[in-house]
Amino acid sequence: MGIDRRDVIKFIVGGAVGSTLTPIPWKLTDDISIWTQNWPWIPTNIGGKNEYTPTVSKLCPSNSGMLLRTVSGRPVRPQGDPDSPLSGGKISSLAAAEAQMLYSPSRVRRPLRKTSDGTYKAVSWAEAEAILSEKLGNATGGVGVISGDENGSMNEVLSALAAGFGSDDCHFMPGSAQAEAVAYNQLMGGEGQPAYDFEKADYVLAIGADVLESWGPVVATRRAYADMRPHGEDPKSTWVYAGAFQTNTAAGADRFVAMRPGAQVALALGVANLLIKEGASATGLSGFASLAAQYTPEKVAEVAGVSPDALQEIAKGLASAQKPLVVVGAEGNEGGSTAAAIAGIACNMLLGSFKAVPYPRTVVQGAMGRGDMLAKDVASYVAGFKGGKAPEVLITYQANPVYALPGSIKTKEAFENVSFKVCFTTYLSETALASDLILPVPHSLEMVDDVATPYGYGKALYAVARPLVPTLVDAKHPGDFLLGLGAKLGKDLGFASYQKVLEAKARAMGANWADVSRGTVYVSDSQASTYGVRVDADAVAKAAAVVEVADLTLCPVMKLNFGTANCGIPPFNLNTIRGDELDSDYLYAHLNASTAKSKGVAQGDVVRISSAAGTVMAKVNIFEGVMDGVVAIPKNFGHTAFDEFTRGKGDNVSALFAVASEPGTQASVWTGQAVELKRA
Amino acid sequence: MASKKEFDIVWGMVIDLDKCTGCGACMVACQAENNVPVTKDATNKLRSLTWLLVYELSNGKPFPDHDVAYLPRPCQQCGNPACVPVCPATVTKKDEEGGIVSQVYPRCFGCRYCMASCPYHVRYFNWFDPVWPEGMEKTLSPDVSVRPRGVVEKCTFCHHRWMHAKDKARVEGRDPYALEQMEYQTACTEACPNGAIHFGDLKNPEHTVHELSKSKYAFRLLERLGMDPQIYYLSRREWVRRLGDNYLDDEKTGDFKVVGGHGHG
Ligand code: SF4
Ligand code: SF4
């Protein structure tokens, strides 16, 4: 029997038909999928009743208004709250990760006390309280406070307690609000907080202020930006960003104008000069016009590197706008020039767009007002610890000075001069690990707190953050704890609980507690009088005179998705960090090709960047969005504390900040830092 | 090209790249909404999972003429998806009203043909079992299943939100296939503080995406491949539009014929 061609074809066809009809391949793929999906644990979805409860973010400096989604009480994630003026239904990259941060591996789970061998031992709250009352009770050498929360009422409890021990050494960590508070409240005779009406602004000039990413209540600002720019239509507003690095704000702006870091004062004076030439005037500016007149476009080009054409165009744009706005801020939102803040306010006065809102009124007896606390210079305070001016007890509250203060201060060493340091913190930060007593603060979704008129917002505002989930760790409300402790030490602050403080605060703001405690945000139209405000032209002239052009200048960059000094880098935000921002363990320093060439370095080279204060190591990323002679380095990397998601990633740019005293204003400044860069 | 399925509803996005500032809020919202796990070394983009990834674009000019833009890139939900025909296990299909390309995880056995075929690199493979820091798994959303090791995943246009919106309409006695634009929005659209992302039915004249997708500033990624993506981008800047299709330096924008046709309009 032979096999002919027909048989072969039959066999092949039969085989093909058979293999299509047989279930075997399908069974096999099914089996493979079962076996490849065999894994040790599968979190099963836990369903239940959905609820969306309004609150406000205390984790993100933008103070996003949020709706926390819970499923049967279990927090899932926050979304933007459409009814909140701080959100408009939108959310920041950091607030979007707030619920997950409840379970951050770096949460402090119980009170910890440092032992004589430097390790930490868990103590009960009763023991912690006993230790702290003993230290405070004997604190003849004074009590100091450093707070990392600029707009909460905890500052009242802290400063009132310190006042009970005869101290007014209560400080904020460096931020955008400070230079302006010193400028406006101390040097210009103004009362209240300068306010920025981004809503309906048709021309915004941001001088170094990263208004679309990290400056002020940025989600609200971005809503105002978006509202004036409907899709598919020509934008109804013009946004100009002047800075040394194409930040996120530059990406959203209609125009990016290159300006050297630290040259804000020169550019603001240059703008004022052209506005005055066009006929703008305002009371309180005597002597200012002749100072501004020196900042001709040519002079501004020389000092700030801003092209004369760009300057003319900006001045024209501002002068012809209906609602123009000038916002001055520092690169990285810290260490900015007070003189620049004065010049910025002067520009807004000339444009008729300057306004101020009252600082939230204090309700705790003896508490310091926000303006007074903002006027305190934390950099010189901590630097003074080494010169015998250390307090006996230092309270840090949701602040991380050991990591974040300028390198020249050598904060960790300065802290060694303080005999007792207590750190109130949610996360195990560098400052916690340099403290004698670590007291866990509940997560922002676990405790009642508030946001009163955040800096950068256009109106007085009051919002309450609510405890929406039970506290997961052995933490106590710091307000309740300190009020109780004060009473025991004979320094009764007049409130039985922190909530009572907030109720009083709501009343003082003009808000109804029942409403705000349910998540409604209170907004008021009250404004602070700007009568009698004047510019000290002499002080500005002195400060502006020292703005110099260095061979290489540092531009620190802050982005909310990198997290903050207080919370580290949230695990959920790591994915947003690009491969040209962080390379496993090296940070990227951004230079343009021509600067890199002049330094003899190329893409990917490991370099050592140093200043009078310190050194950081980084890899070079060539990015043409950096100005000539500038190196841009992101903030919030190089942590040595927190968890595996934060620790050991790159270097800390703050190490390079060297504090200087600004001539004319005497304020501490560290922008426009000259640095050196060499191949490592 | 295989016969293309037509739908009455075509969910799509129009992303305004002149408004996107690259903040990453959309990425974080997406990750939390869809139970995407975290990685310690997330800068290693080969190992991290990002259903939505924001790319930085450059006009390629030296300072001071340099310009930057950011491009959020979800699954393009192609009209002619390259990933569908190559899938041996019928995990990924384009056969449901709305035109969302499906990904049925329990069927996936991880051959990764779809990843190789997708020109937009939107698909991710779970090399490891997903892990969340201890306790963080309690924040997982009940709407989306968690994917194990060995499985490919990608953006689904928050498909579960569509199902919820349809259910709600049904309960209220309305037509689940006649939703208002705001009834079904993806997590990224909802999050974006700049309102850079618009989402809706490209075929429905009452949804803003319908008109916006026809804007003279609208373009799609690698349009010449003929994949017919349901994601449109807008930019007034020509260099941004040109990058969308990887033009040669001396080539003029629009100097080509669209292959595959528009699945909407
Ligand atoms: S983008 Fe890729 S994964 Fe998405 S439909 Fe198109 S080919 Fe498939
Ligand atoms: S949230 Fe909006 S602005 Fe931010 S990266 Fe996403 S699309 Fe761009």
Side-chain angles (χ1 to χ4, degrees):
Chain A
M1 188 184 79
I3 297 174
D4 61 12
R5 185 173 162 271
R6 184 176 295 235
D7 289 333
V8 171
I9 291 173
K10 266 194 214 152
F11 181 76
I12 291 173
V13 170
V17 170
S19 62
T20 319
L21 295 180
T22 173
I24 289 172
W26 309 114
K27 176 72 185 128
L28 279 179
T29 54
D30 189 39
D31 280 358
I32 299 170
S33 76
I34 289 167
W35 286 105
T36 53
Q37 295 187 28
N38 247 339
W39 55 319
W41 64 282
I42 299 183
T44 35
N45 291 350
I46 317 164
K49 189 166 171 262
N50 275 296
E51 268 168 305
Y52 295 85
T53 324
T55 187
V56 62
S57 174
K58 289 290 284 182
L59 180 84
C60 180
S62 73
N63 297 124
S64 292
M66 323 186 285
L67 289 176
L68 179 70
R69 177 184 180 194
T70 50
V71 179
S72 296
R74 186 173 59 83
V76 170
R77 77 177 191 91
Q79 296 169 201
D81 175 4
D83 295 327
S84 166
L86 292 170
S87 161
K90 306 296 176 175
I91 199 161
S92 74
S93 56
L94 184 50
E98 194 148 337
Q100 279 70 30
M101 287 303 278
L102 283 161
Y103 297 95
S104 160
S106 57
R107 273 199 77 172
V108 182
R109 287 158 199 281
R110 57 192 67 84
L112 298 168
R113 124 142 263 198
K114 199 182 231 160
T115 58
S116 47
D117 63 1
T119 55
Y120 283 91
K121 184 175 151 262
V123 289
S124 70
W125 274 97
E127 283 170 283
E129 192 186 60
I131 297 166
L132 189 56
S133 16
E134 189 213 312
K135 297 289 175 189
L136 279 172
N138 298 333
T140 46
V143 176
V145 172
I146 300 177
S147 165
D149 175 5
E150 244 175 39
N151 50 39
S153 294
M154 267 306 293
N155 297 313
E156 291 201 29
V157 176
L158 291 160
S159 61
L161 189 75
F165 294 96
S167 163
D168 65 351
D169 282 329
C170 299
H171 303 256
F172 285 124
M173 284 297 287
S176 311
Q178 269 154 346
E180 208 163 60
V182 174
Y184 189 59
N185 304 140
Q186 311 287 307
L187 301 168
M188 302 181 77
E191 260 177 49
Q193 178 170 293
Y196 293 88
D197 239 336
F198 288 96
E199 274 171 48
K200 308 256 166 3
D202 56 350
Y203 197 103
V204 177
L205 167 65
I207 304 182
D210 197 1
V211 287
L212 294 179
E213 175 56 34
S214 62
W215 184 96
V218 70
V219 178
T221 311
R222 291 170 66 181
R223 294 311 298 143
Y225 161 87
D227 284 347
M228 293 291 275
R229 309 167 86 80
H231 287 277
E233 290 173 33
D234 286 335
K236 295 187 174 60
S237 62
T238 305
W239 288 58
V240 179
Y241 175 71
F245 178 69
Q246 279 175 345
T247 55
N248 288 1
T249 300
D254 302 277
R255 173 126 204 211
F256 166 67
V257 173
M259 175 197 76
R260 282 194 194 98
Q264 282 85 340
V265 65
L267 177 53
L269 287 171
V271 169
N273 174 37
L274 296 181
L275 291 176
I276 293 168
K277 272 192 165 168
E278 290 292 315
S281 67
T283 45
L285 298 186
S286 67
F288 182 72
S290 53
L291 165 65
Q294 296 167 31
Y295 284 79
T296 58
E298 294 68 37
K299 165 98 174 174
V300 176
E302 181 199 321
V303 180
V306 175
S307 83
D309 288 350
L311 183 57
Q312 299 277 8
E313 189 193 308
I314 290 170
K316 226 180 256 150
L318 284 168
S320 57
Q322 300 294 313
K323 268 197 83 190
L325 199 56
V326 176
V327 191
V328 173
E331 298 80 16
N333 292 322
E334 60 171 295
S337 153
T338 296
I342 298 176
I345 293 172
C347 286
N348 283 324
M349 285 163 74
L350 287 167
L351 291 165
S353 52
F354 180 72
K355 108 179 207 203
V357 290
Y359 279 122
R361 201 149 56 74
T362 56
V363 294
V364 182
Q365 181 104 41
M368 279 168 84
R370 184 188 297 169
D372 294 333
M373 248 177 101
L374 281 169
K376 293 270 182 176
D377 183 344
V378 69
S380 30
Y381 175 60
V382 176
F385 290 0
K386 279 182 271 186
K389 282 195 238 142
E392 200 165 315
V393 177
L394 179 70
I395 304 173
T396 53
Y397 175 73
Q398 300 286 49
N400 192 1
V402 169
Y403 167 80
L405 283 184
S408 66
I409 299 174
K410 308 260 175 288
T411 306
K412 204 167 168 195
E413 289 160 33
F415 264 43
E416 282 160 17
N417 297 287
V418 180
S419 37
F420 190 78
K421 291 149 299 236
V422 53
C423 177
F424 287 88
T425 181
T426 307
Y427 305 102
L428 202 61
S429 63
E430 286 83 357
T431 301
L433 294 176
S435 299
D436 303 288
L437 188 62
I438 308 171
L439 297 177
V441 173
H443 179 278
S444 41
L445 296 171
E446 297 167 341
M447 74 177 214
V448 67
D449 210 349
D450 62 348
V451 170
T453 316
Y455 170 70
Y457 193 67
K459 290 184 170 146
L461 172 152
Y462 194 64
V464 169
R466 308 196 278 161
L468 298 175
V469 292
T471 311
L472 288 167
V473 299
D474 185 15
K476 267 204 169 134
H477 195 297
D480 293 338
F481 175 75
L482 288 174
L483 289 169
L485 183 73
K488 279 185 200 155
L489 290 170
K491 323 267 177 199
D492 194 343
L493 303 181
F495 288 92
S497 71
Y498 187 63
Q499 181 167 321
K500 293 272 177 235
V501 174
L502 299 190
E503 287 171 18
K505 187 78 168 196
R507 269 196 303 281
M509 297 288 300
N512 178 326
W513 172 253
D515 293 340
V516 288
S517 65
R518 265 189 248 115
T520 308
V521 179
Y522 171 79
V523 180
S524 136
D525 281 325
S526 66
Q527 289 197 21
S529 158
T530 55
Y531 182 76
V533 171
R534 67 201 175 271
V535 168
D536 179 351
D538 204 36
V540 180
K542 281 188 187 137
V546 300
V547 177
E548 280 172 5
V549 181
D551 173 49
L552 186 65
T553 312
L554 173 69
C555 176
V557 180
M558 176 179 173
K559 285 170 70 177
L560 293 177
N561 61 311
F562 297 159
T564 67
N566 297 344
C567 72
I569 309 171
F572 265 54
N573 287 67
L574 271 178
N575 268 339
T576 65
I577 299 171
R578 294 195 311 274
D580 61 6
E581 293 179 316
L582 183 73
D583 170 20
S584 292
D585 29 50
Y586 272 111
L587 193 61
Y588 278 102
H590 311 276
L591 303 166
N592 74 26
S594 113
T595 311
K597 195 168 164 226
S598 74
K599 299 287 159 201
V601 294
Q603 177 73 30
D605 282 356
V606 176
V607 289
R608 177 177 282 116
I609 301 154
S610 42
S611 74
T615 300
V616 303
M617 303 287 283
K619 275 189 179 177
V620 169
N621 179 46
I622 305 292
F623 177 59
E624 294 300 325
V626 197
M627 199 177 174
D628 284 336
V630 171
V631 54
I633 306 182
K635 282 172 71 170
N636 206 36
F637 290 93
H639 280 279
T640 54
F642 297 94
D643 49 39
E644 60 201 6
F645 297 96
T646 297
R647 205 169 34 230
K649 292 185 189 286
D651 244 354
N652 179 3
V653 67
S654 310
L656 296 172
F657 299 156
V659 181
S661 173
E662 186 175 61
T665 71
Q666 268 68 55
S668 289
V669 283
W670 55 90
T671 50
Q673 186 77 56
V675 289
E676 276 184 22
L677 181 144
K678 286 204 177 73
R679 200 198 306 256
Chain B
M1 199 122 331
S3 68
K4 191 168 157 254
K5 244 191 143 102
E6 292 295 334
F7 301 101
D8 292 334
I9 297 172
V10 176
W11 294 116
M13 271 180 194
V14 180
I15 307 179
D16 188 341
L17 301 186
D18 295 337
K19 265 187 177 169
C20 172
T21 51
C23 73
C26 51
M27 287 180 68
V28 182
C30 167
Q31 185 170 351
E33 177 80 15
N34 291 297
N35 296 338
V36 180
V38 295
T39 7
K40 276 172 243 163
D41 185 9
T43 42
N44 178 350
K45 298 298 175 208
L46 293 175
R47 286 289 152 93
S48 54
L49 292 89
T50 43
W51 288 13
L52 177 59
L53 186 59
V54 179
Y55 288 88
E56 186 178 82
L57 308 180
S58 159
N59 68 348
K61 292 195 179 160
F63 174 84
D65 301 318
H66 185 262
D67 194 10
V68 69
Y70 291 93
L71 183 139
R73 184 244 49 205
C75 169
Q76 308 288 305
Q77 315 294 357
C78 306
N80 296 310
C83 53
V84 166
V86 299
C87 176
T90 55
V91 169
T92 194
K93 297 278 283 173
K94 186 168 179 105
D95 57 1
E96 190 194 1
E97 185 55 85
I100 298 173
V101 174
S102 67
Q103 182 70 12
V104 185
Y105 310 118
R107 283 190 203 156
C108 174
F109 57 85
C111 71
R112 285 170 279 146
Y113 288 0
C114 56
M115 287 176 70
S117 70
C118 169
Y120 301 106
H121 299 294
V122 311
R123 292 177 161 268
Y124 293 87
F125 183 61
N126 284 277
W127 290 95
F128 306 102
D129 283 336
V131 270
W132 284 266
E134 199 189 331
M136 209 180 275
E137 75 282 354
K138 296 204 179 76
T139 64
L140 291 175
S141 160
D143 304 331
V144 181
S145 63
V146 172
R147 287 76 55 187
R149 171 182 66 203
V151 165
V152 170
E153 58 184 69
K154 68 157 190 85
C155 157
T156 64
F157 267 3
C158 295
H159 186 267
H160 56 283
R161 289 186 170 216
W162 189 30
M163 301 208 288
H164 285 313
K166 281 192 292 186
D167 286 349
K168 190 164 175 274
R170 280 189 193 103
V171 169
E172 291 166 6
R174 290 181 290 124
D175 178 1
Y177 292 97
L179 296 176
E180 305 256 332
Q181 178 161 0
M182 293 318 282
E183 288 189 80
Y184 165 35
Q185 291 288 292
T186 63
C188 54
T189 309
E190 187 182 77
C192 174
N194 295 1
I197 309 176
H198 267 226
F199 179 79
D201 175 5
L202 291 165
K203 278 194 161 178
N204 186 339
E206 273 160 31
H207 289 197
T208 50
V209 288
H210 176 80
E211 264 321 292
L212 288 173
S213 67
K214 295 186 205 155
S215 151
K216 64 176 173 183
Y217 300 127
F219 69 99
R220 296 185 287 179
L221 293 183
L222 306 177
E223 203 145 4
R224 286 180 290 185
L225 288 181
M227 310 286 290
D228 193 20
Q230 282 164 220
I231 307 278
Y232 287 76
Y233 293 94
L234 291 180
S235 182
R236 269 177 255 110
R237 293 171 283 184
E238 200 203 337
W239 72 264
V240 175
R241 299 198 297 271
R242 287 172 69 91
L243 272 185
D245 228 324
N246 263 332
Y247 289 90
L248 300 173
D249 284 346
D250 53 0
E251 201 177 343
K252 277 215 197 98
T253 315
D255 254 5
F256 62 91
K257 272 218 175 75
V258 178
V259 194
H262 297 250
H264 64 89

